[in-house]
Amino acid sequence: MTERRDDLSVLMTGRPAPAPGAGPPDGQRAGAAAALAKAATLIEALPWLDRFHGQTVVIKYGGHAMTDETLRVAFAQDVVFLRYAGLRPVVVHGGGPQISAHLERLGVASTFAAGLRVTTQETMDVVRMVLTGQVNRDVVGLINRHGPFAVGMSGEDANLFTASRRAAVVDGEAVDIGLVGEIDTVDAAALRVLLADGRVPVVSSVARGAGGEIYNVNADTAAAALAVALGAAKLVVLTDVEGLYRDWPAGHGTSPTTAPAAGPPGNGSAARPADVISVLTAADLERLLPGLSAGMIPKMEACLRAVRGGVPQAHVLDGRLPHSVLLEIFTDSGIGTMVVPDGGGS
């Protein structure tokens, strides 16, 4: 009987039957170890899946994550994963590099003040065209490779964002930066219908004024205002640094192309650089704001406004790290910098 079983094993697998009492081959043991590691990652995610199931997460999509094809694909996968996991993701995007590239082709110089683009009427026409007609369609297309989820919107649609003209503050002085708007009101009724239907709204950061004028709105600011209006559980801001540094610029890191070294076995999350602030309160952030670099000010102001507006957590993540959104939401230690309300914890 043993010989017949051995013959059957050779016939079905093309390999000799293992000797009686022998353990699994090395290849099988290695495969089992890899499978166990994946199972541990899934188990680590379980409490976070439970905590955020049915919750809205607003993600500000921008920076290098929008221009590198591998990162673009990874971001779309993250958004679809959130949708399948029972969360309700909302994407608010900028498009600074694409706008600057188009303006350069037209021979128009890009000028910034306090991290905000100076926007003339000519520039505004380009901003509107690029954000709503190009970038928005690209993001929607990336997500919809995985199914009919994403629906593109402009902040003008259904009066989602109504804004008024704002000035930038440079060295304590107000500076006119043109058709740049500060969001006054958010009407998220149409967006809530999309969420209830299981869709993923993708919103470009353009707003209308009360008199019908069109404003360029900073995408970080727009994402924060939308997170507050929706009662989101999280605001996530993707940027091109690991988080908020303790001693910028001396402590800034280099651009990662792969995940940083893993933490202890079973951690399942990326290591946070030692010079990045892990958690800080709104009051702490408010004290730090005046000393931040111009590019970080709008992002950290957005986090501050979100948590002061009732959002429990706001995060600044490194969008150059593939799947950074999933690493933050579904691992125990997370990545980047998290801002919490005064008196809040991690």
Side-chain angles (χ1 to χ4, degrees):
M1 180 67 72
T2 301
E3 291 179 358
R4 291 180 62 187
R5 284 202 302 266
D6 292 349
D7 291 343
L8 183 60
S9 175
V10 173
L11 178 64
M12 295 181 66
T13 68
R15 298 188 299 270
D26 290 343
Q28 289 185 18
R29 283 195 292 267
L36 285 172
K38 291 179 181 178
T41 300
L42 293 172
I43 293 302
E44 183 182 355
L46 184 59
W48 308 111
L49 287 166
D50 177 59
R51 177 174 175 178
F52 293 114
H53 186 85
Q55 298 292 314
T56 299
V57 176
V58 176
I59 307 168
K60 186 271 177 168
Y61 179 43
H64 196 66
M66 295 188 71
T67 57
D68 180 276
E69 184 60 24
T70 299
L71 295 175
R72 281 160 39 86
V73 170
F75 174 77
Q77 291 171 335
D78 286 4
V79 171
V80 174
F81 186 97
L82 295 179
R83 162 64 176 72
Y84 276 125
L87 285 76
R88 307 200 304 172
V90 177
V91 178
V92 179
H93 67 81
Q98 294 90 335
I99 294 169
S100 294
H102 200 93
L103 288 171
E104 185 177 354
R105 286 196 294 270
L106 296 174
V108 179
S110 295
T111 307
F112 295 85
L116 301 172
R117 184 183 299 274
V118 178
T119 308
T120 63
Q121 183 59 61
E122 180 184 19
T123 303
M124 187 65 236
D125 291 340
V126 174
V127 168
R128 194 182 192 190
M129 177 182 66
V130 171
L131 289 185
T132 303
Q134 175 190 337
V135 178
N136 189 269
R137 306 321 306 164
D138 288 346
V139 178
V140 168
L142 281 169
I143 295 172
N144 284 347
R145 292 179 186 178
H146 303 277
F149 301 124
V151 177
M153 296 181 67
S154 162
E156 300 173 65
D157 296 336
N159 291 349
L160 176 60
F161 297 140
T162 301
S164 56
R165 193 159 176 160
R166 68 167 292 183
V169 178
V170 179
D171 296 329
E173 299 290 332
V175 177
D176 181 21
I177 51 177
L179 294 173
V180 174
E182 180 77 25
I183 294 177
D184 298 320
T185 60
V186 178
D187 184 349
L191 195 145
R192 287 193 179 95
V193 172
L194 292 174
L195 289 173
D197 193 39
R199 308 300 175 181
V200 178
V202 178
V203 182
S204 63
S205 54
V206 178
R208 68 179 295 278
E213 60 275 28
I214 305 302
Y215 289 111
N216 178 21
V217 178
N218 178 266
D220 304 309
T221 303
L226 191 53
V228 171
L230 292 172
K234 280 180 181 282
L235 168 68
V236 175
V237 178
L238 297 184
T239 184
D240 287 342
V241 293
E242 290 96 332
L244 186 63
Y245 296 101
R246 298 182 187 281
D247 56 348
W248 177 269
H252 72 278
T254 58
S255 171
T257 56
T258 58
N267 188 311
S269 60
R272 181 183 282 106
D275 54 353
V276 170
I277 300 172
S278 175
V279 182
L280 75 165
T281 66
D284 292 335
L285 176 56
E286 192 167 30
R287 285 192 293 269
L288 290 174
L289 271 177
L292 299 183
S293 62
M296 285 298 287
I297 288 175
K299 303 178 190 312
M300 301 315 301
E301 281 183 340
C303 292
L304 181 62
R305 292 176 184 180
V307 297
R308 288 270 167 89
V311 178
Q313 300 173 353
H315 305 259
V316 173
L317 308 183
D318 191 350
R320 303 167 300 174
L321 181 65
H323 304 296
S324 57
V325 174
L326 297 187
L327 287 170
E328 168 50 44
I329 295 178
F330 294 125
T331 63
D332 290 341
S333 61
I335 60 173
T337 297
M338 177 169 67
V339 182
V340 297
D342 298 327
S346 60

